[in-house]
Amino acid sequence: MASIIYYIVQLGNSYYHGSDEDSMLTTDEEQAFAFTNSDTAEQLATKVNGTVLTREVSFEELEELSADHWTEYNALPKDERDIIESFCSKLKLGKDE
């Protein structure tokens, strides 16, 4: 079965979530930042005294998750979907405002 291998950095009972120091860690593994390059994950782990964990997800599972998220997204009120679509559109254009 085809799958994707990714890496997360664990620090004690938490996981690296992003570069913003206020929200750098999460206790939810599913919210951890997923590195696609093990060397990059190892560099961060060394910097923060963490451990790199290897994870794998099948394409089938990704398809199921995508379908679930699509259903949740479509259940949102239209004004919330419009805000999300506007934000994503700005991201595609490289704008931050």
Side-chain angles (χ1 to χ4, degrees), residues 12-82:
N13 293 327
S14 299
Y15 305 91
Y16 177 77
H17 182 261
S19 60
D20 181 356
E21 290 188 25
D22 291 336
S23 62
M24 187 176 95
L25 300 177
T26 179
T27 56
D28 183 354
E29 183 176 328
E30 291 185 5
Q31 296 298 315
F33 184 84
F35 292 89
T36 56
N37 180 302
S38 62
D39 291 335
T40 305
E42 286 288 348
Q43 288 173 0
L44 176 71
T46 300
K47 182 178 176 181
V48 299
N49 294 320
T51 304
V52 174
L53 305 176
T54 303
R55 297 293 185 254
E56 185 172 6
V57 62
S58 70
F59 286 123
E60 182 179 310
E61 184 179 358
L62 285 175
E63 287 176 5
E64 290 172 8
L65 289 169
S66 294
D68 291 345
H69 288 295
W70 183 248
T71 301
E72 290 175 19
Y73 172 78
N74 282 318
L76 292 172
K78 182 175 180 350
D79 60 328
E80 290 185 35
R81 291 193 317 264
D82 289 346

